[in-house]
Amino acid sequence: MPHRLSAATDTIGPVHAAGRDLVPVASCRANAGPTSMCEHMLLSWEATLEETMTPTPANLDDGCNNLALRKAARYLGATYDKALAPVGLRATQFSILQKLSAHGEMTITSLADMIAMDRTTLASNLKPLAREGLVTVEPSAADRRARIVTITADGLSRMKAALPLWKAVQARFEESFGADDAARLRASLGTVLDTGFDPWAE
């Protein structure tokens, strides 16, 4: 339990020690032996003094950039997931198919960089798409260490089926949030990726 020093009596006592005796600090220091109760009380007091005197923010949540982004991403991600559920896709899977349809075959590394995701997580997202025959993942002919991801005809068809659902939820969000504000939000979030960090460096 935290202790406090009494300037008037040179004593320490529990912070919430209503009705309990205070122990004179000077007496403890004079009489404390290696295993004395006073020594333990002094050690406890000294260990908690810095903690109790160091101010901490009342609410770290209010100033945490990471938490604010994650809260918004979870909220919006779940909204898009729900909208795309009728065609059996999640928002991340739709984004993967859309990128592949627009850019053609890509290495896992290039695709991971494009959607800002580490390669291990991307590989996990590709597995269900490959099982359903929506993408293929094959070794590169030029570099056997690299793996090439390609959208299949079924994958392109699934992406096209999901596109109206994506457009509908996109329109609903922009109607509520504001189209201009949404454009500014996307621009601001894009600049986050240029802040100089390298979170997936090996």
Side-chain angles (χ1 to χ4, degrees), residues 6-30:
S6 169
T9 61
D10 192 28
T11 59
I12 58 171
V15 171
H16 299 293
R20 294 183 56 179
D21 293 335
L22 299 178
V23 180
V25 172
S27 175
C28 275
R29 286 174 176 157

Side-chain angles (χ1 to χ4, degrees), residues 6-100:
S6 169
T9 61
D10 192 28
T11 59
I12 58 171
V15 171
H16 299 293
R20 294 183 56 179
D21 293 335
L22 299 178
V23 180
V25 172
S27 175
C28 275
R29 286 174 176 157
N31 299 312
T35 59
S36 72
M37 183 177 296
C38 281
E39 181 182 34
H40 290 302
M41 293 184 69
L42 283 169
L43 289 173
S44 175
W45 172 70
E46 291 168 354
T48 58
L49 182 60
E50 182 177 354
E51 177 184 346
T52 57
M53 294 184 67
T54 301
T56 57
N59 190 351
L60 289 176
D61 294 358
D62 294 340
C64 182
N65 301 314
N66 178 60
L67 180 60
L69 284 170
R70 284 180 175 271
K71 285 168 63 178
R74 284 192 292 266
Y75 170 81
L76 204 55
T79 300
Y80 276 66
D81 283 347
K82 185 176 181 180
L84 296 170
V87 294
L89 291 176
R90 297 176 66 86
T92 301
Q93 295 171 331
F94 172 81
S95 295
I96 290 171
L97 294 178
Q98 188 277 324
K99 293 298 183 185
L100 291 172

Side-chain angles (χ1 to χ4, degrees), residues 53-163:
M53 294 184 67
T54 301
T56 57
N59 190 351
L60 289 176
D61 294 358
D62 294 340
C64 182
N65 301 314
N66 178 60
L67 180 60
L69 284 170
R70 284 180 175 271
K71 285 168 63 178
R74 284 192 292 266
Y75 170 81
L76 204 55
T79 300
Y80 276 66
D81 283 347
K82 185 176 181 180
L84 296 170
V87 294
L89 291 176
R90 297 176 66 86
T92 301
Q93 295 171 331
F94 172 81
S95 295
I96 290 171
L97 294 178
Q98 188 277 324
K99 293 298 183 185
L100 291 172
S101 70
H103 298 277
E105 65 180 27
M106 304 176 68
T107 65
I108 285 183
T109 298
S110 296
L111 182 57
D113 289 342
M114 183 170 288
I115 62 176
M117 181 180 289
D118 67 275
R119 288 180 295 177
T120 300
T121 303
L122 176 59
S124 297
N125 278 274
L126 288 171
K127 287 179 181 178
L129 295 177
R131 281 197 301 267
E132 293 188 48
L134 305 181
V135 302
T136 60
V137 183
E138 303 290 345
S140 169
D143 183 355
R144 303 297 292 181
R145 295 170 300 177
R147 297 179 70 79
I148 302 295
V149 187
T150 307
I151 190 170
T152 65
D154 286 345
L156 185 59
S157 177
R158 183 79 66 89
M159 192 276 296
K160 289 180 177 178
L163 193 56

